[in-house]
Amino acid sequence: MSAERCNDDAVDEVLREAMEPVFRDLRSTGISLPRVEDNDWAECGAMLRSPDGTGAGVSLDRSAPEFERVAMIADQVQEWVIEELWGRAPTNWPRCPHHPDSHPLEASVRDRVAVWMCPADQTPVAPVGGL
Ligand SMILES: [Zn+2]
């Protein structure tokens, strides 16, 4: 078993680290955190589970630098949140402060930092984890 291999019976540590800042943003914006479960079918992956049992898979590329991993996970967690809010609340999470009634922010990388940026004018709004 090489060190690069993902842990078989627990959610991977690298994945947990990448999720941490994104979960901080969920908490600071009042979104209930999903339960995180090990995912058998995706290498270095996990399942995000809602209280009602629906789930979405997340995974990452371990060879990517840390800031890219965070941006990757932010993007996937965002999809889960949008699904989660569907039909119950506005789904534009995280809300763009410049255009609060239209698009959500988009996960991206600027100067080796994972950021949320406005997709319309490409302005970084906050680092991921700093909402
Ligand atoms: Zn915007």
Side-chain angles (χ1 to χ4, degrees), residues 96-100 102-105 117-121 125:
C96 177
H98 308 304
H99 314 95
S102 53
H103 49 247
L105 297 171
M117 70 162 199
C118 168
D121 56 24
V125 170

Side-chain angles (χ1 to χ4, degrees), residues 9-85:
D9 45 35
V11 175
D12 186 58
E13 190 63 27
V14 174
L15 185 59
R16 280 202 182 275
E17 274 169 28
M19 284 190 290
E20 221 295 306
V22 193
F23 281 11
R24 209 181 310 146
D25 286 344
L26 290 178
R27 277 193 292 266
S28 68
T29 53
I31 311 270
S32 328
L33 298 190
R35 206 166 69 233
V36 181
E37 292 173 0
D38 183 34
N39 188 346
D40 295 336
W41 48 263
E43 204 180 339
C44 304
M47 286 295 281
L48 305 180
R49 289 251 181 236
S50 314
D52 69 4
T54 54
V58 292
S59 60
L60 53 70
D61 177 0
R62 285 175 80 88
S63 63
E66 199 253 338
F67 55 90
E68 272 181 30
R69 286 188 217 133
V70 172
M72 263 179 235
I73 292 299
D75 187 53
Q76 297 170 64
V77 170
Q78 178 181 36
E79 277 178 41
W80 174 82
V81 174
I82 289 172
E83 194 83 359
E84 193 47 25
L85 295 177

